[in-house]
Amino acid sequence: MSYQKNCPHEWKQPAPFIPNWVRETPKPNVCPQPIPPVTPNPVFPNTAALQMCNPLQIEKIDSCSVLITISVPAESIIHLPTKALEIKTIKKDFKLTQNHFFNSAPTPPGISSDTPKLFIGGLVRKDIQYSEAVHQTPTTVAGVIKDFVVDIPISCVIDLGRHLQFSPIHYDQQREYGFTESSTKDPLQSKAEFNLLSEQFYNRMPTCQLVFCQINETDNALDCIPLYGGPSKEYTFTTLQEKMVILIQLRLTFPTPIDYKNPHCNPDNESERENNHCYDKDSKHNRKNKSPNSNALFSKINTLLTKLTCIIKGPHLVALLLCK
């Protein structure tokens, strides 16, 4: 192998010259970076406090379901991607995205209990069709129709009040227990012993279904500017301020029967309490009061027996009238 070192036709290539600016240039990433989506509409900030919605009406439709009607006000700022000359039409669709029921938790003595709450969230999908000017003269404007879709989130908390009585929540428990030490048992073993009893309940959540939705809205342009080269009364804009009042009706169905107490009833009023106006017909309070009064029934039976005795004693009409 020594003859290869002195080989006259052996060719060696020197290392290529690499400038310093090339050495200092960072290497590009092999995987292409994803392009972030461009949205002209600002992201709604997450806040810790939610608006409280008092229901307009709560109606019990069966033993396990209630209809809840609420009104939710909302406001948003919408940025169109191009300059709009006129809004042609807006198609709206409300979608219920989340619902969660919170029953009132027990409180210590002396502290008033809270009312049940229903958290809801949804999206108003708006399909905005508008015209964009592409050519204008002092007397005419030519344009094209464009389409822009935006989702506007809404959320609120519904206060269900105190006239709906739901089944209580069963709470999980863990309890430790032990045994007395015996003389034959090692005291070190008794200290290392740990006994635990765990109980876990699986409470069922109610289901929420969207029954009806009505959206009343108004849209105002905030940045109107005259159309350059167009008629004098034509304007373009890109920013809309939208105000909405959303009327929503929900059907809340529970796995167990519920009691409904009339909110306009005074339970201290004896006449209303006796006529069962405070609770619905399926309430357990009315089921208790459906048993007939024994004194009234005995009085009616006694009256009928007296009339029968008068008829049996003689056919005289006068005696029959006197028995009345």
Side-chain angles (χ1 to χ4, degrees):
M1 301 294 295
S2 58
Y3 70 94
Q4 294 183 357
K5 297 180 180 180
N6 301 322
C7 184
H9 60 272
E10 182 180 2
W11 178 74
K12 294 182 180 180
Q13 183 180 3
F17 173 75
I18 301 178
N20 291 331
W21 65 269
V22 176
R23 298 177 183 273
E24 296 176 357
T25 303
K27 295 182 179 180
N29 296 327
V30 177
C31 298
Q33 298 297 322
I35 300 175
V38 179
T39 171
N41 294 286
V43 178
F44 287 84
N46 295 326
T47 57
L50 297 177
Q51 62 174 335
M52 187 71 67
C53 297
N54 294 321
L56 302 177
Q57 183 183 14
I58 297 180
E59 179 184 359
K60 185 177 179 182
I61 54 178
D62 55 41
S63 60
C64 299
S65 301
V66 291
L67 283 178
I68 304 173
T69 305
I70 60 171
S71 177
V72 182
E75 183 179 5
S76 63
I77 301 296
I78 301 175
H79 298 274
L80 299 176
T82 57
K83 293 182 179 181
L85 180 67
E86 183 182 4
I87 300 295
K88 294 300 181 181
T89 182
I90 300 178
K91 297 181 181 180
K92 299 170 292 293
D93 184 20
F94 176 74
K95 298 178 181 180
L96 187 66
T97 57
Q98 66 170 346
N99 60 87
H100 193 88
F101 173 75
F102 277 87
N103 201 352
S104 56
T107 56
I111 299 179
S112 178
S113 61
D114 197 4
T115 55
K117 304 291 192 301
L118 179 64
F119 287 70
I120 66 168
L123 293 173
V124 178
R125 182 183 183 272
K126 301 194 66 174
D127 187 356
I128 305 174
Q129 295 182 2
Y130 63 95
S131 61
E132 180 186 3
V134 294
H135 179 71
Q136 59 268 8
T137 65
T139 56
T140 62
V141 179
V144 294
I145 300 297
K146 290 197 172 183
D147 189 85
F148 181 66
V149 178
V150 59
D151 290 337
I152 301 175
I154 65 167
S155 60
C156 73
V157 183
I158 305 173
D159 188 0
L160 298 180
R162 301 185 183 277
H163 51 276
L164 282 175
Q165 300 179 3
F166 308 101
S167 300
I169 296 177
H170 300 283
Y171 298 92
D172 300 340
Q173 295 181 358
Q174 286 189 353
R175 291 173 290 179
E176 298 181 16
Y177 63 94
F179 302 95
T180 58
E181 297 181 2
S182 60
S183 59
T184 59
K185 194 172 184 180
D186 188 3
L188 295 178
Q189 184 179 359
S190 62
K191 292 182 179 180
E193 183 178 359
F194 181 75
N195 305 305
L196 181 66
L197 176 63
S198 301
E199 296 179 357
Q200 187 172 4
F201 294 91
Y202 298 92
N203 300 283
R204 297 177 59 187
M205 290 291 294
T207 59
C208 188
Q209 179 183 4
L210 182 63
V211 178
F212 172 79
C213 180
Q214 181 188 73
I215 302 176
N216 187 10
E217 70 168 301
T218 177
D219 299 277
N220 299 319
L222 299 181
D223 55 348
C224 292
I225 57 176
L227 179 62
Y228 178 77
S232 59
K233 294 185 178 180
E234 296 296 334
Y235 297 86
T236 60
F237 56 89
T238 57
T239 306
L240 291 174
Q241 183 183 30
E242 178 197 49
K243 300 179 186 293
M244 294 186 298
V245 178
I246 309 172
L247 187 66
I248 303 173
Q249 189 174 64
L250 304 171
R251 176 172 180 167
L252 194 61
T253 304
F254 292 85
T256 56
I258 58 177
D259 287 342
Y260 175 77
K261 180 181 177 182
N262 190 349
H264 304 290
C265 172
N266 183 11
D268 297 331
N269 192 336
E270 184 178 357
S271 62
E272 292 184 355
R273 188 172 62 252
E274 290 180 354
N275 295 329
N276 298 330
H277 294 322
C278 292
Y279 298 92
D280 61 325
K281 61 182 181 179
D282 296 327
S283 174
K284 61 182 180 181
H285 299 271
N286 278 349
R287 290 195 294 268
K288 292 180 180 179
N289 295 330
K290 285 182 179 180
S291 58
N293 192 345
S294 58
N295 294 331
L297 183 60
F298 179 76
S299 177
K300 291 182 179 180
I301 294 175
N302 191 18
T303 303
L304 291 176
L305 291 176
T306 304
K307 290 183 179 181
L308 290 176
T309 304
C310 294
I311 295 174
I312 293 173
K313 285 183 178 180
H316 302 286
L317 183 61
V318 177
L320 181 60
L321 294 176
L322 291 176
C323 290
K324 294 182 179 180

